[in-house]
Every structure is written in C-alpha cells, then in structure tokens.
Amino acid sequence: MKSRRNFIASAAALAGAATLTPPRLYAAKPKIKWRMQTYAGPALAEHVVKPAIESFNRIAGDEMQIELYFADQLVPTGELFRALKKGTLDAVQSDDDSMASPTDVTVFGGYFPFGSRYSLDVPVLFNQYGLGKIWEEEYAKVGVKHLSAGAWDPCHFATKKPINSLKDLKGLRVFTFPTAGRFLAQFGVVPVSLPWEDVEVAVQTGELDGIAWSGITEDYTVGWANVTDYFLTNNISGAWIGSFFANMDRYNELPDKLKELLKLTMDSSHYYRQWWYWGGEAKLRVDGTKMKLTSIPDEEWDQVEAAAHVFWDKIAKESKTKAKVVEIFKKYNADMAKAGRPYRYS
C-alpha cells in the first residue's frame, strides 16, 4: 500500500501537481478561519468544490476564510464525521455513506440504488419532498449541522473487461460505495474498500477489476479512464447524493451574513455540478476515446431495478426514519412516472 501511494505521489508530481492547488486565501488574518475537507481528490475537487470556496473567500475577505483540504489529506474519509464532531474539521463535503455518519439517513447518501434517475431529482427530493428537513433533524440529533444536499454524477461501471450481461458481473472486484456494494453483491459483484488515491494503481496491478464510483466525467477527470477499457451505460443510480456539513458550534457562532453567504456558495456549487456533469456525461459518451461503451439489455437490467425495490423494503424495516425516507422515494418516483415525459420515459 505504501509503495502504491509513493507511486501515485510521484506520478502527480511529474504531471504538474502544482496546478492542483487549494483555493486561494484572500486575507492573511481573517476574523474567522475554517478548515474544510472534501471527499474528492485534487483533480475532482477542482470542479466539485474549489470554485465555490474560492468565491466565498473572495467575497468574505477578512471576515472569514475557508481552507480546503482534499480526500484523506487531514483525516481518512471514513473518519470525516468524527473529525467534524470533535472540531478537528469545521466543515465537510461528502456523502453520508462514505463518512460513516451515525444516523438513520446514512444509507441513503451516496448512491441509493435507483433512488434517482436524473440529477435534478435530488434537489427536488430535498427541497420539495421533505428529505432536507429529515436530514437536518437527524444530524441535529448527533450534534452536526447539515447545511445542504445536492446531486453529483450517476453511478456506472468502468472495467477492464466488457460487461454485456448480468452474468459478466459475477466475481467482479469493484471499488464502490458501502450501500452500492451491499446492493450489488447479490449479482456477484465483490465490493472492495480502498483509500481513494490507491484505486488507479489497484486497477493497474489487477487487485481491482473495475470501479463503480462515478459517471464517465469523473473517470476522465481523475484518470480512471486511463486504466479501464470499458464503460457500462447502465447505471444503478441517476445521481450521487452529497452534502455539506458543519460543526454545530462553529456554525452557530457565524453571524447571519456569513451564514447567508455560505448558503449562496453551496447553491453555486450545486449549480456548477448540474451542468458540468450533465454535459460531460453526454459529451464523453459521444466524443470520448479512452473507453468503449457497452450495455446490458433492458430486459436483463429490469431485474436489477426490480431487485432495488426489494432492497428498499428491506431498508425500510430497519427503522421508522428509514421507512419514512423510503416512502418519499417511492412517492417521488411514482409521481415522476405519472408525470411522463420528460420526467420519465418508461
């Protein structure tokens, strides 16, 4: 593992890692300084969080500055919640699942199988169907402020060998999220847990057969398209659910003006990702040259979607809060199906 990390560090230096810098600080001695860590590595953070934090720092000036750290830079991703709770970090950008939140909504963060079909589903679920209020209440119980949730990219397989049917998933060693891995295991997928920065080399050395962590935009952005040969067009979720979180005490200390600026900054980040991912996914499928597209026939993939609804019912039995969230997902998806085109095509 150490040699892998050294290899990656050396490769990053040779590639010009100096261009992947943290957001600029616009005040040497601000009145308030926060430390935020993202789930994303440097190349991905350049899109999913850095522009927004730079904007915040530029506007806040000597009132407040946010120092941004990349994946595992201060603490491992799986320890983000504990670091936030203790005050080691003031803020975090992650999904609930990856940072091991001790809440009843954790299982729905990241990729909840077939919970969404498009990225716009996520903000509607949180802002119009009640998920936002549930998240805020659940995190308040454990002393953390849930600031805002948004959508990222869909979840696809990027692999060394082609996937053309469900049987091709059997035995596939895949880096993925905890809940996604739990769901995919029934189809023979072998979920593998690794530090994010070790994934690329693990594919190269054969320790991994593939990745089910993102869409094609991230595959190209972070370098995974360089080490995988095929991209499966079927996905198990239309959008990753991620959030911004803050240490409750540190958030409560902020003046209202900075709270409002923080909200606007997060909204800006969510908007950037909406078009960056949506356009990127289509463009790279059409013009990308690094991975060959494959598909599992609809009649086979319908089995996976049917299994997801069985999975939902199992999750719902685990607690009242989980049952409430599952009912919201069911109602929302039923409403979208009734609404028809362009909300749902089948």
Side-chain angles (χ1 to χ4, degrees):
M1 188 71 73
K2 183 178 179 181
S3 64
R4 284 200 219 111
R5 291 186 180 184
N6 290 340
F7 175 88
I8 293 170
S10 299
L14 291 172
T19 61
L20 303 175
T21 56
R24 177 180 171 186
L25 298 180
Y26 287 83
K29 295 181 180 180
K31 295 176 184 177
I32 300 170
K33 181 182 285 187
W34 273 18
R35 298 202 302 177
M36 172 187 285
Q37 184 169 310
T38 176
Y39 74 97
L44 184 59
E46 288 281 326
H47 293 279
V48 301
V49 66
K50 183 181 173 183
I53 298 304
E54 284 186 328
S55 177
F56 179 94
N57 288 344
R58 190 180 300 114
I59 297 169
D62 60 6
E63 290 293 313
M64 181 175 174
Q65 296 285 284
I66 298 175
E67 293 180 341
L68 180 67
Y69 296 88
F70 304 134
D72 304 315
Q73 198 170 355
L74 294 182
V75 300
T77 297
E79 296 177 16
L80 284 175
F81 178 86
R82 283 186 289 175
L84 188 62
K85 175 75 173 175
K86 286 177 60 178
T88 305
L89 294 170
D90 303 299
V92 160
Q93 181 197 45
S94 178
D95 70 285
D96 318 71
D97 209 15
S98 296
M99 73 180 205
S101 299
T103 73
D104 270 356
V105 297
T106 296
V107 70
F108 303 104
Y111 291 119
F112 186 58
F114 293 93
S116 65
R117 183 166 296 189
Y118 308 117
S119 57
L120 277 175
D121 291 339
V122 174
V124 175
L125 279 161
F126 274 82
N127 295 310
Q128 295 185 354
Y129 277 71
L131 291 192
K133 183 179 180 181
I134 295 173
W135 258 247
E136 184 176 4
E137 291 173 350
E138 288 301 304
Y139 277 95
K141 292 178 184 176
V142 293
V144 164
K145 177 66 177 178
H146 179 262
L147 295 171
S148 181
W152 271 251
D153 51 342
C155 183
H156 294 261
F157 283 85
T159 56
K160 293 293 291 182
K161 67 176 186 179
I163 300 173
N164 295 297
S165 68
L166 289 181
K167 66 180 181 181
D168 293 331
L169 297 177
K170 292 181 180 178
L172 212 63
R173 293 164 299 174
V174 171
F175 173 70
T176 190
F177 291 87
T179 299
R182 178 180 166 188
F183 171 69
L184 290 170
Q186 65 186 291
F187 300 100
V189 172
V190 181
V192 178
S193 178
L194 284 174
W196 187 91
E197 69 270 22
D198 291 337
V199 172
E200 184 173 338
V201 175
V203 174
Q204 291 174 301
T205 60
E207 294 175 63
L208 286 175
D209 299 309
I211 302 157
W213 203 84
S214 68
I216 199 169
T217 308
E218 285 192 19
D219 290 336
Y220 272 75
T221 301
V222 306
W224 292 338
N226 298 329
V227 297
T228 54
D229 300 308
Y230 299 93
F231 179 84
L232 182 66
T233 61
N234 312 74
N235 64 60
I236 66 162
S237 175
W240 187 77
I241 298 175
S243 294
F244 290 92
F245 306 88
N247 175 278
M248 185 70 81
D249 291 336
R250 293 289 278 158
Y251 178 77
N252 288 338
E253 290 169 1
L254 291 181
D256 289 343
K257 181 176 74 172
L258 290 178
K259 288 179 180 177
E260 190 67 21
L261 178 58
L262 193 59
K263 179 182 182 301
L264 292 171
T265 297
M266 292 181 295
D267 286 346
S268 172
S269 176
H270 295 327
Y271 174 68
Y272 182 107
R273 289 191 316 275
Q274 285 283 349
W275 62 259
W276 183 66
Y277 277 122
W278 185 255
E281 296 298 303
K283 181 174 177 57
L284 289 170
R285 286 191 185 199
V286 174
D287 297 327
T289 59
K290 294 182 179 180
M291 293 187 290
K292 182 177 179 180
L293 304 183
T294 66
S295 298
I296 294 175
D298 289 345
E299 57 271 19
E300 274 196 81
W301 198 247
D302 287 345
Q303 299 173 41
V304 182
E305 187 160 1
H309 292 107
V310 174
F311 182 78
W312 290 11
D313 290 336
K314 290 180 179 178
I315 296 295
K317 293 177 181 178
E318 295 177 357
S319 76
K320 290 182 179 179
T321 299
K322 291 179 181 179
K324 185 176 180 180
V325 173
V326 167
E327 282 306 308
I328 289 174
F329 274 108
K330 286 183 175 181
K331 175 172 174 47
Y332 176 77
N333 279 278
D335 286 352
M336 294 301 104
K338 290 177 183 177
R341 298 170 185 265
Y343 301 94
R344 293 293 185 267
Y345 285 86
S346 62

